[in-house]
Amino acid sequence: MVTPLVSLWWLPSNMGDCELLKSVSLGKERARQHTSNQDIIINFGENSSRLKGGDAKKGGFRACSFVFVLGAFENIGFVANMVSMVLYFHLMMKLDLPTSSNTLTNFMGSVFLLTLLGGFISDIYLNRLYTILIFGSLEVIGLSMVTIQAYSKDLRPDLLCQRDCVKGRIALMFYGSLSLLALGAGGVKGALPALGADQFDSKDPKGAKQLGSYFNWYLLSTTFGAVIGVSFVVWVSMNEAWYWGFFMGTMTAIIGFIAVALGKPFYRFPPLGNSPLLRIVQVIVVAMKNRRLSLPENSDELFEISDKDINQYDEKLSHTNQFRSLDKAAILPEETTPEPWKVCSVTQVEEVKVLARMLPILASTIIMNTCLAQLQTFSVHQGFFMDPYIFGKKFPSASVPVIPLVFMIFLIPMYEFLVVPFARKITGHPSGITQLQRVGVGLVLSIISMVVAGLVEVKRRDQAIKDPYKPISLFWLSFQYGIFGLADMFTIVGLMEFFYKEAPSGMKSLATSFAWLSLSFGYFLSTAFVNIINTVTEKITPSKTGWIHGDNLNVNNLNLFYWFLAVLSTLNFIIYLFCASWYKYKEDTAESETGTKSRYDDQVTQN
């Protein structure tokens, strides 16, 4: 029997469980007294409650529209920098080809690694909106510094400089601006997707469908911004001046942050939770203390808090048989009172198990993002050696990704309105197919993209050697970009929805950042692969030169590097299939005690 609950938006978010229960009872009585004036409509029992006042207008897609605006406007400058900065580093900052590529991948890796910081802070210390605005201000400062350096000749290397050009105050400004930009952008991306996802209740059937749609529309909004960035902003950077492109990215980011701040009256803010790291450490420490104790045959004998002590926004997880050694943390020794660091609840143990089950999924998507890093670095360099003209107009090589992005603008709505409803009728899943199935499709497409990239590079290099004055068209790159664009559409949305829905209630932002963490590791691994491949091939090839060395791609073997990644991705996909089949969704392991009760409408706490 579910305890009747009432929505008490006036309760402070830090109220203890006992105080909350008393206030709920009092609130129930108040609700009876006020139903005559129809200010509040409440359905006690199994059904969710509904407010007619201001709180009923919070959440939903209207609130998410402000998130979509920031996603689009912030992505204009971010994606423009992502695809063109490798040329800025090479042409303006005088870094050689491998160094410029590694600098960009290290920068991008840092951005996505720092999403964990933004996610952690927005789960524990600040609500998502305030986290976004604070890190957004750092991102704007970083963009402003990059713009100033691109504008000032005194802060750039001399055009005649050949090597070791970034030093002194130039290096300080260069690396300082990139560090601030990485910190700010990472923090924003760590909190923004979860801010929108918080506006829906995944435990409600309608909310579950809307949540799956939200991540699709979030991707569409960022894609719109990316199209503008890689087309117009990149064109301005490469044909007018680099500082104009950076300035435009700065201004659009400012507009986006103002827009998301204006949405504050419409947002739902779940109460802040306890430190997830502390809860994880408690389980590990108590399990080690109890390692000599025997597990009971019946899991019902393990310690668990009662239903009445469960917070509205928390969820009670049922016991699973994976990672049984952690169950010892839920053994309450005889003559011991339940206290932190002495015993953990089954729910707390299961939260750690959920995270442990997520890690193999996270690890098996890293190679795909290593492939993505190549498209943002070496593929841009490829375009530099290709014919950039179409219909008599010069097309910047860094703008080639606009082709798959335009396709995605049409494909995402088609997927949402045609594919998902059709698949939903067959599978019964709210999103049509499971999140892990969606990720698997993306991994297969990424393998195909790397094979195609190698073939295009062979054609480009052969033509360049045969007749360097008649290079092949730049738009041959659209094949590898287009296929990988589809891969990204399936994978990144699948990962974000997967990590958000599967994460414990107190660490939604942090878990959503795991999708970005995979990108981070992919970028860092790209840097390592480039260095390792060059070192190994210099020793074993007859020419004693690395596959990727110097500034001239026409004497390199970039195609072999692409095919190496394709083989590696195939092996990784086999591992992913094993991890995905082994993973147990929370819905598969337990039936929620609250059923489909709308917890968001039961209690909305505004921080």
Side-chain angles (χ1 to χ4, degrees):
M1 181 67 180
V2 178
T3 304
L5 300 171
V6 67
S7 182
L8 300 176
W9 54 268
W10 59 83
L11 294 179
S13 60
N14 60 352
M15 181 173 288
D17 291 338
C18 294
E19 295 175 282
L20 178 61
L21 290 173
K22 293 178 182 178
S23 300
V24 166
S25 301
L26 177 61
K28 179 177 177 180
E29 191 64 34
R30 289 178 180 174
R32 290 196 183 103
Q33 296 172 4
H34 287 79
T35 50
S36 59
N37 61 19
Q38 297 182 346
D39 286 333
I40 302 176
I41 294 177
I42 301 196
N43 295 318
F44 293 103
E46 297 290 335
N47 297 324
S48 60
S49 61
R50 177 168 60 89
L51 292 181
K52 290 185 65 178
D55 287 338
K57 299 179 181 179
K58 295 179 182 293
F61 277 108
R62 180 169 60 174
C64 289
S65 63
F66 298 94
V67 175
F68 296 151
V69 171
L70 176 57
F73 277 81
E74 190 266 346
N75 224 33
I76 290 174
F78 181 79
V79 174
N81 295 336
M82 188 168 64
V83 299
S84 65
M85 262 190 165
V86 67
L87 296 178
Y88 173 73
F89 296 158
H90 183 55
L91 300 175
M92 302 299 293
M93 303 307 293
K94 300 301 179 179
L95 302 178
D96 61 27
L97 190 151
T99 304
S100 61
S101 296
N102 287 344
T103 301
L104 178 63
T105 53
N106 288 338
F107 166 72
M108 297 301 297
S110 299
V111 168
F112 294 119
L113 181 62
L114 289 166
T115 58
L116 291 177
L117 178 61
F120 180 78
I121 290 176
S122 66
D123 279 333
I124 308 303
Y125 299 108
L126 295 171
N127 67 36
R128 319 251 197 257
L129 177 62
Y130 293 157
T131 303
I132 289 169
L133 295 178
I134 291 173
F135 280 98
S137 64
L138 297 178
E139 182 178 3
V140 169
I141 293 173
L143 283 168
S144 301
M145 292 174 64
V146 172
T147 304
I148 292 171
Q149 184 165 36
Y151 176 80
S152 176
K153 294 181 179 179
D154 295 333
L155 295 174
R156 297 198 313 267
D158 188 271
L159 293 177
L160 300 178
C161 181
Q162 297 297 321
R163 59 189 312 173
D164 297 328
C165 304
V166 179
K167 54 186 177 181
R169 63 176 182 176
I170 295 177
L172 180 63
M173 186 73 168
F174 180 65
Y175 293 110
S177 61
L178 291 183
S179 299
L180 271 179
L181 183 56
L183 177 61
V188 170
K189 293 184 182 301
L192 184 60
L195 174 62
D198 285 342
Q199 311 311 311
F200 308 99
D201 181 9
S202 61
K203 294 298 181 182
D204 179 73
K206 181 180 178 181
K209 293 180 181 180
Q210 291 177 330
L211 182 61
S213 297
Y214 158 74
F215 284 106
N216 287 329
W217 297 128
Y218 177 78
L219 176 63
L220 182 63
S221 68
T222 58
T223 301
F224 269 117
V227 167
I228 298 173
V230 300
S231 55
F232 184 66
V233 176
V234 168
W235 184 90
V236 169
S237 296
M238 300 186 68
N239 291 277
E240 297 297 327
W242 284 99
Y243 63 85
W244 275 118
F246 295 137
F247 176 75
M248 291 171 65
T250 305
M251 296 309 298
T252 55
I254 292 174
I255 294 172
F257 290 121
I258 292 175
V260 81
L262 293 176
K264 185 177 184 294
F266 303 96
Y267 299 139
R268 286 168 166 169
F269 296 105
L272 301 176
N274 297 320
S275 171
L277 298 181
L278 180 63
R279 292 173 65 84
I280 293 170
V281 171
Q282 284 178 337
V283 171
I284 296 174
V285 170
V286 176
M288 292 182 63
K289 285 182 178 179
N290 296 344
R291 63 186 182 277
R292 291 186 174 87
L293 300 179
S294 299
L295 287 170
E297 295 183 2
N298 189 346
S299 61
D300 292 338
E301 298 178 25
L302 296 172
F303 175 75
E304 180 62 294
I305 55 178
S306 61
D307 292 342
K308 65 180 181 180
D309 293 328
I310 294 287
N311 184 277
Q312 299 280 333
Y313 279 81
D314 290 338
E315 56 185 330
K316 189 174 180 180
L317 302 180
S318 296
H319 177 264
T320 61
N321 290 323
Q322 293 176 318
F323 304 107
R324 291 296 306 277
S325 59
L326 293 177
D327 289 342
K328 294 189 175 182
I331 298 177
L332 182 63
E334 295 181 1
E335 300 180 359
T336 302
T337 56
E339 295 179 5
W341 303 104
K342 290 185 178 180
V343 66
C344 301
S345 67
V346 170
T347 293
Q348 185 175 350
V349 172
E350 289 301 318
E351 289 176 354
V352 179
K353 290 183 180 182
V354 168
L355 295 178
R357 287 195 294 265
M358 285 180 174
L359 293 180
I361 302 297
L362 170 68
S364 55
T365 58
I366 293 174
I367 296 297
M368 174 188 167
N369 292 308
T370 300
C371 299
L372 174 62
Q374 312 317 312
L375 297 184
Q376 294 168 355
T377 53
F378 289 115
S379 290
V380 176
H381 284 299
Q382 282 179 278
F384 200 69
F385 291 91
M386 301 169 78
D387 181 10
Y389 288 90
I390 180 172
F391 302 126
K393 300 292 185 179
K394 187 176 181 180
F395 197 88
S397 61
S399 293
V400 174
V402 75
I403 298 173
L405 289 172
V406 170
F407 282 128
M408 287 174 65
I409 287 178
F410 295 98
L411 289 173
I412 294 172
M414 288 176 60
Y415 180 83
E416 175 65 25
F417 291 119
L418 298 178
V419 177
V420 172
F422 177 75
R424 189 181 291 151
K425 291 180 180 179
I426 298 175
T427 64
H429 193 276
S431 299
I433 59 176
T434 67
Q435 294 83 34
L436 294 184
Q437 288 171 339
R438 188 167 181 170
V439 173
V441 173
L443 294 180
V444 172
L445 290 173
S446 71
I447 297 171
I448 299 173
S449 175
M450 287 296 99
V451 173
V452 171
L455 294 174
V456 171
E457 170 59 13
V458 170
K459 182 177 180 62
R460 184 209 64 80
R461 189 184 60 198
D462 289 349
Q463 179 62 27
I465 295 173
K466 180 181 179 181
D467 189 351
Y469 296 102
K470 292 184 178 180
I472 66 173
S473 173
L474 177 71
F475 288 89
W476 277 94
L477 294 178
S478 63
F479 291 102
Q480 62 209 57
Y481 276 113
I483 297 171
F484 204 94
L486 290 174
D488 200 39
M489 182 185 78
F490 279 95
T491 303
I492 192 65
V493 173
L495 283 177
M496 284 196 296
E497 185 179 357
F498 168 73
F499 287 129
Y500 182 87
K501 292 183 69 174
E502 293 296 299
S505 57
M507 53 181 304
K508 295 291 188 182
S509 286
L510 185 63
T512 307
S513 300
F514 287 173
W516 305 121
L517 184 62
S518 174
L519 275 167
S520 173
F521 289 157
Y523 281 107
F524 286 131
L525 192 59
S526 171
T527 302
F529 274 164
V530 170
N531 294 332
I532 293 172
I533 288 295
N534 271 336
T535 301
V536 173
T537 53
E538 282 176 359
K539 296 179 180 179
I540 64 175
T541 56
S543 62
K544 299 302 179 182
T545 56
W547 282 356
I548 313 166
H549 69 280
D551 293 333
N552 188 358
L553 282 180
N554 294 331
V555 296
N556 285 343
N557 290 286
L558 181 59
N559 59 301
L560 297 180
F561 183 57
Y562 283 144
W563 290 336
F564 165 77
L565 290 177
V567 172
L568 202 62
S569 297
T570 302
L571 297 175
N572 176 75
F573 177 68
I574 296 173
I575 297 174
Y576 173 80
L577 289 178
F578 173 78
C579 295
S581 61
W582 172 78
Y583 186 86
K584 299 297 182 183
Y585 288 92
K586 287 197 299 186
E587 294 87 344
D588 296 337
T589 58
E591 288 291 329
S592 175
E593 291 293 328
T594 57
T596 59
K597 176 175 61 67
S598 176
R599 294 174 296 154
Y600 277 93
D601 289 334
D602 286 339
Q603 175 190 355
V604 178
T605 302
Q606 184 173 0
N607 292 337

